């Protein structure tokens, strides 16, 4: 089996949550542009499959929060999703902001030299196929990039072990991170089984001791969703490598 990458953190220290955090609608190109405008070099976003198995940027499997009306992403063609308004829920200034295709977002980010943490976010029952197709498209985008642009390869992460396992089979050369709200006792066995390079977890459930255990095994460690600079400094003191934040207005790329 091909190894994804050397364990550890080889990516930006400050990562924009769902693209632009609170400054723009989540999982949209407006969000990516907001992160770029702030000078950030890394973004995290969610990828889900539409009904035609085309990956799109989306967090919720059902309409009602970021997309108005009733329906489900997994039952709606990508062509329809792309015509829906994914911005008005946050502010009228973003009215008409479309749902992006993953392929389009990946191409733009790589061209801008912005690293991406691709969270595989399968709708229930679509774990394996979402992991496979997302990984395939991420690998294709990376292979087709402009080699002159200085940017690290995408990192694939997921709360779904099944999705990450199929991603590993589809694109073994791309690095992977297991996502947990609370790191379980058997975390090391799972991370080894999936040949992960990093662990991502909720900062509220971290301790100095757990950080030390994860770092002692050589894994990278990113904490989410950290919105207070004071908390970020504590986490960095514990050995956390990176934070994912909604408050990109409070965290410049050179935050120390």
């Amino acid at each position: 089996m091909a190894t994804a990458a050397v364990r550890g953190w080889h990516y930006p220290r400050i990562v924009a949550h769902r693209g632009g955090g609170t400054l723009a609608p989540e999982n949209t190109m407006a969000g990516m542009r907001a992160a770029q405008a702030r000078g950030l070099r890394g973004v995290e976003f969610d990828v889900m499959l539409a009904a035609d198995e085309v990956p799109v940027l989306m967090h919720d499997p059902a309409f009602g929060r970021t997309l108005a009306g009733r329906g489900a992403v997994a039952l709606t063609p990508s062509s329809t999703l792309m015509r829906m308004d994914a911005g008005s829920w946050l502010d009228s200034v973003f009215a008409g902001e479309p749902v992006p295709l993953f392929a389009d977002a990946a191409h733009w980010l790589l061209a801008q030299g912005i690293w991406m943490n691709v969270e595989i976010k399968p709708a229930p029952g679509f774990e394996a196929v979402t992991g496979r197709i997302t990984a395939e498209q991420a690998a294709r985008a990376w292979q087709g990039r402009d080699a002159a642009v200085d940017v690290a390869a995408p990192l694939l992460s997921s709360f779904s072990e099944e999705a990450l396992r199929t991603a590993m089979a589809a694109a073994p050369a791309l690095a992977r991170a297991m996502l947990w709200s609370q790191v379980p006792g058997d975390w090391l066995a799972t991370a080894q089984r999936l040949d992960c390079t990093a662990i991502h977890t909720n900062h509220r459930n971290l301790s100095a001791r757990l950080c030390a255990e994860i770092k002692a095994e050589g894994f990278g460690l990113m904490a989410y969703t950290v919105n207070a600079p004071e908390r970020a400094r504590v986490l960095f003191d514990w050995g956390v490598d990176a934070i994912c934040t909604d408050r990109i207005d409070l965290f410049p790329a050179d935050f120390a």
Side-chain angles (χ1 to χ4, degrees):
M1 180 178 65
T3 301
V6 177
R7 285 184 191 175
W9 193 257
H10 318 289
Y11 315 109
R13 185 177 178 88
I14 306 298
V15 180
H17 186 223
R18 301 183 191 173
T22 58
L23 298 189
E26 67 183 55
N27 292 313
T28 65
M29 295 310 301
M32 308 304 167
R33 290 190 293 270
Q36 182 194 40
R38 291 279 171 176
L40 296 187
R41 306 312 300 166
V43 297
E44 178 270 356
F45 54 83
D46 306 290
V47 175
M48 190 175 293
L49 294 188
D52 49 1
E53 296 191 344
V54 173
V56 298
L57 271 56
M58 186 60 56
H59 181 276
D60 295 9
F63 299 173
R65 187 174 67 89
T66 62
L67 295 178
R70 300 177 62 182
V73 175
L75 301 178
T76 307
S78 58
S79 58
T80 300
L81 290 169
M82 291 174 67
R83 294 193 298 270
M84 297 183 72
D85 180 355
S88 291
W89 67 273
L90 183 66
D91 193 295
S92 60
V93 72
F94 296 110
E97 183 68 27
V99 175
L101 298 183
F102 171 44
D104 293 342
H107 176 78
W108 185 85
L109 289 164
L110 289 171
Q112 304 305 314
I114 299 176
W115 171 77
M116 51 185 161
N117 172 190
V118 181
E119 182 180 338
I120 304 169
K121 197 80 173 182
F126 294 86
E127 290 79 7
V129 66
T130 306
R132 175 180 60 81
I133 293 176
T134 301
E136 289 172 347
Q137 284 211 6
R140 192 176 305 124
W142 176 247
Q143 290 163 2
R145 76 193 186 285
D146 181 349
V149 178
D150 183 19
V151 61
L155 173 68
L156 306 177
S157 65
S158 187
F159 284 99
S160 167
E161 185 174 343
E162 183 179 3
L164 215 53
R165 185 168 57 250
T166 57
M168 177 173 63
L174 290 183
R176 291 171 294 282
M178 191 66 207
L179 259 166
W180 284 296
S181 176
Q182 185 161 7
V183 177
D186 63 348
W187 71 269
L188 180 56
T190 301
Q192 289 174 331
R193 187 164 57 246
L194 294 169
D195 195 18
C196 290
T197 66
I199 304 298
H200 297 180
T201 191
N202 191 323
H203 77 96
R204 293 183 177 87
N205 298 321
L206 273 174
S207 65
R209 179 177 179 179
L210 179 56
C211 289
E213 291 176 1
I214 293 170
K215 297 304 297 177
E217 294 293 343
F219 291 94
L221 178 58
M222 184 167 79
Y224 72 85
T225 305
V226 184
N227 293 328
E230 300 79 13
R231 176 59 174 170
R233 292 188 179 96
V234 170
L235 294 167
F236 288 140
D237 285 345
W238 287 353
V240 168
D241 295 296
I243 62 162
C244 191
T245 181
D246 285 322
R247 295 301 307 272
I248 64 174
D249 55 319
L250 299 180
F251 288 94
D254 61 353
F255 177 84

